[in-house]
Amino acid sequence: MSDQSAVVKAAPKGIYVAGEWRDASGGGSFAVEDPGTGKPLCEVADGQADDARSALDAAVDAQADWAATPPRERAEILRRAWQLMTDRADDLALLMTLEMGKSRAESKSEVTYAAEFFRWFSEEAVRIEGRYAQNPAGGSRLLTMKQPVGPCLLITPWNFPLAMGTRKIGPAIAAGCTMIVKPAQLTPLSMLQLTDVLAEAGLPPGVLNVVPSSSAAKTVGPLMSDPRLRKVSFTGSTPVGKSLMEQASKNLLRVSMELGGNAPFLVFGDADIDAAVEGAVVAKMRNNGESCVAANRFHVAGEVAVEFTARLAERLGAMKVGHGAEEGTQVGPLIDADQRDKVGELVDDAVGKGARVVTGGSAVEGDGYFFTPTVLSNVPREARILTEEVFGPVAPVTAFGSEEEALALANNTEFGLVAYVFTQDLRRALRVAEGLQTGMVGLNTGLVSNAAAPFGGVKASGFGREGGTEGIEEYLSTKYVAVSLS
Ligand code: NAP
């Protein structure tokens, strides 16, 4: 318990502007809760529109010097931040578990994953290149250079409180952009702690400004209409993403959108069933199922559906549910009562329409917002859980007959973030991967997230890519210079 109080006490609770911690302009604060107990952990400064404006002032003031800072210096700040995060992974993980719920082991994996974006982009910062070409018609030259887009607004969700931040902050720092971060109201502490890490790593004042708030729209709204802001990068739900797109049109901001998902998980008759079950546990249960890349619709070939369902149910049914900070916990609480109730509603809807509960199926009574890991079989096509993002530990299974049917089922969604495919037939694997309407495919694996890979979606899952060599491009604009040699 003392460890827990100590990490919460040590975390900053203010607004970070121009390299200094301050109270909210109205002096207010909001409570951060532990979803494993339903009890408050602490109060955090409640940023207002005035605080967001001060943060933008600071970002604008710092932009020119930061863009002129040698790439190697920017890279070394990121590399030091990676090292500091790695050294402090246990404390960062515990803090994350307390505010978000996931088990300490899962939080530790997120800290590692989040830190990797700093290491990766420290390596990308020194490889920003242009080109020099001969005009095809002769006589002149074409010169291109990459420049930072300018001050950015980065808005992050609660489900991965560090990683969704570092995969924006890392490339923004590498590219030479300044920024204002608006962390999720439910999980601001990890981001505030990360801010201290970046300051300690040597990030100059004004480059990163952080404004926690309990009123997102009112706080960031004025920034969206301020012509000094040049980009918004958002990770969160599709409806909020659409609203930000509309606002971004006013000043024609550069936009990156990492939105919702509803990933299909396809198991063909020729799949290695051991690997498919293992992959399903990872793709479904990572982050308690509260992940945009969570497998949410299991479409399994008729001949292996019964075996796959039984084995998946056995694995999920054996998982230990508990407070994330308790030793041995594998599945923590959901983020809040609304989320727990929504998961219950989708399960009830499916069961009411004919699905069978193979394991789990209900919320856990008592403190905190727990839901038992659940497998549903014979889920009818009209069940809402096949079209709505469940964001919880529920695996609905349906059977298919042919490859064409499997592909049609997988693509029958407005979302297009990721799909998982298990087959041992190489030709089928490539055919299906090409036919899937998604930004990413996990082929015989339940884990696609990797700092070195381009993460992102199509359709209602948004656009833009985070990570990989593509990730830094979101923060750069290309300038072309026509060079006359005559
Ligand atoms: P959300 O409600 O859209 O919130 C995301 C962020 O936007 C939070 O910081 C939130 O602030 C802020 N926000 C809410 N309304 C806003 C508005 N009108 N203007 C400006 N900012 C606003 O999403 P969430 O429930 O936190 O996250 C879950 C969603 O994120 C899921 O759909 C999931 O699939 C998606 N997600 C996508 C990815 C990806 O990479 N594609 C990754 C992770 C999560 P408050 O916290 O104050 O509401």
Side-chain angles (χ1 to χ4, degrees), residues 155-160 164 167 182-186 213-217 220 234-238 240-241 243-244 247 257-261 291-293 389 391 417 455 461 466:
I155 304 178
T156 57
W158 51 263
N159 61 342
F160 290 98
M164 299 303 99
R167 68 185 195 179
K182 209 301 282 173
Q185 180 188 345
L186 294 168
S213 172
S214 70
S215 47
V220 304
F234 172 74
T235 298
S237 60
T238 299
V240 174
S243 152
L244 287 167
Q247 295 171 55
M257 289 282 154
E258 297 285 350
L259 308 177
S291 163
C292 54
V293 288
E389 189 180 25
F391 242 54
L417 192 56
F455 187 108
S461 294
E466 294 191 321

Side-chain angles (χ1 to χ4, degrees), residues 196-279:
D196 255 0
V197 166
L198 281 160
E200 197 177 328
L203 195 67
V207 175
L208 168 73
N209 306 278
V210 183
V211 185
S213 172
S214 70
S215 47
K218 274 200 226 149
T219 303
V220 304
L223 301 191
M224 296 294 293
S225 54
D226 189 318
R228 297 175 302 164
L229 187 76
R230 291 315 316 142
K231 176 181 172 81
V232 60
S233 175
F234 172 74
T235 298
S237 60
T238 299
V240 174
K242 286 182 180 171
S243 152
L244 287 167
M245 283 279 296
E246 279 178 28
Q247 295 171 55
S249 69
K250 183 165 182 231
N251 289 318
L252 293 170
L253 297 182
R254 281 279 293 270
V255 178
S256 304
M257 289 282 154
E258 297 285 350
L259 308 177
N262 198 5
F265 189 103
L266 305 181
V267 183
F268 287 93
D270 58 34
D272 172 340
I273 297 295
D274 290 342
V277 171
E278 193 54 46

Side-chain angles (χ1 to χ4, degrees), residues 27-67:
S29 63
F30 63 90
V32 180
E33 191 181 84
D34 174 352
T37 61
K39 301 204 165 61
L41 288 169
C42 62
E43 293 277 323
V44 163
D46 194 357
Q48 308 294 317
D50 281 349
D51 299 303
R53 271 191 218 98
S54 308
L56 180 58
D57 292 344
V60 170
D61 287 350
Q63 181 57 62
D65 282 353
W66 184 236

Side-chain angles (χ1 to χ4, degrees), residues 85-417:
M85 288 178 78
T86 305
D87 295 346
R88 294 174 195 171
D90 286 335
D91 283 355
L92 285 166
L94 178 56
L95 184 65
M96 189 188 300
T97 288
L98 291 173
E99 66 173 347
M100 187 275 164
K102 69 182 91 176
S103 70
R104 282 175 88 157
E106 287 242 24
S107 292
K108 189 101 181 262
S109 304
E110 183 181 337
V111 175
T112 305
Y113 174 50
E116 275 308 321
F117 285 101
F118 285 171
R119 181 156 66 164
W120 174 262
F121 285 109
S122 77
E123 291 153 354
E124 291 297 285
V126 294
R127 314 217 190 293
I128 299 169
E129 291 165 352
R131 70 194 152 91
Y132 183 76
Q134 200 175 2
N135 182 347
S140 65
R141 298 293 181 266
L142 283 57
L143 177 66
T144 69
M145 62 183 83
K146 300 275 178 78
Q147 296 181 310
V149 297
C152 304
L153 172 61
L154 313 178
I155 304 178
T156 57
W158 51 263
N159 61 342
F160 290 98
L162 275 183
M164 299 303 99
T166 58
R167 68 185 195 179
K168 300 182 192 301
I169 296 168
I173 288 178
C177 295
T178 60
M179 67 210 85
I180 302 108
V181 176
K182 209 301 282 173
Q185 180 188 345
L186 294 168
T187 58
L189 298 174
S190 298
M191 180 56 66
L192 295 172
Q193 190 67 74
L194 180 74
T195 304
D196 255 0
V197 166
L198 281 160
E200 197 177 328
L203 195 67
V207 175
L208 168 73
N209 306 278
V210 183
V211 185
S213 172
S214 70
S215 47
K218 274 200 226 149
T219 303
V220 304
L223 301 191
M224 296 294 293
S225 54
D226 189 318
R228 297 175 302 164
L229 187 76
R230 291 315 316 142
K231 176 181 172 81
V232 60
S233 175
F234 172 74
T235 298
S237 60
T238 299
V240 174
K242 286 182 180 171
S243 152
L244 287 167
M245 283 279 296
E246 279 178 28
Q247 295 171 55
S249 69
K250 183 165 182 231
N251 289 318
L252 293 170
L253 297 182
R254 281 279 293 270
V255 178
S256 304
M257 289 282 154
E258 297 285 350
L259 308 177
N262 198 5
F265 189 103
L266 305 181
V267 183
F268 287 93
D270 58 34
D272 172 340
I273 297 295
D274 290 342
V277 171
E278 193 54 46
V281 173
V282 173
K284 178 69 260 180
M285 297 307 294
R286 180 167 171 237
N287 223 42
N288 305 335
E290 294 172 309
S291 163
C292 54
V293 288
N296 283 343
R297 302 175 288 135
F298 291 79
H299 300 300
V300 184
E303 63 268 34
V304 293
V306 171
E307 182 191 353
F308 175 85
T309 308
R311 290 181 57 187
L312 182 62
E314 193 185 323
R315 290 287 300 275
L316 264 53
M319 292 183 92
K320 183 168 181 276
V321 180
H323 191 286
E326 275 166 24
E327 197 63 36
T329 290
Q330 291 170 295
V331 186
L334 296 177
I335 189 70
D336 59 15
D338 284 353
Q339 187 56 33
R340 179 198 55 197
D341 295 347
K342 186 191 156 204
V343 171
E345 206 180 280
L346 291 177
V347 169
D348 292 348
D349 169 78
V351 171
K353 289 173 177 159
R356 189 170 74 82
V357 178
V358 189
T359 189
S362 55
V364 179
E365 296 289 322
D367 291 342
Y369 312 115
F370 297 90
F371 202 93
T372 47
T374 298
V375 175
L376 304 175
S377 68
N378 304 331
V379 180
R381 300 279 158 90
E382 63 277 17
R384 282 170 52 201
I385 200 164
L386 296 182
T387 48
E388 294 178 33
E389 189 180 25
V390 59
F391 242 54
V394 182
V397 186
T398 65
F400 66 78
S402 66
E403 184 179 310
E404 294 67 34
E405 188 188 357
L407 200 52
L409 286 167
N411 287 335
N412 184 24
T413 169
E414 62 172 321
F415 297 108
L417 192 56

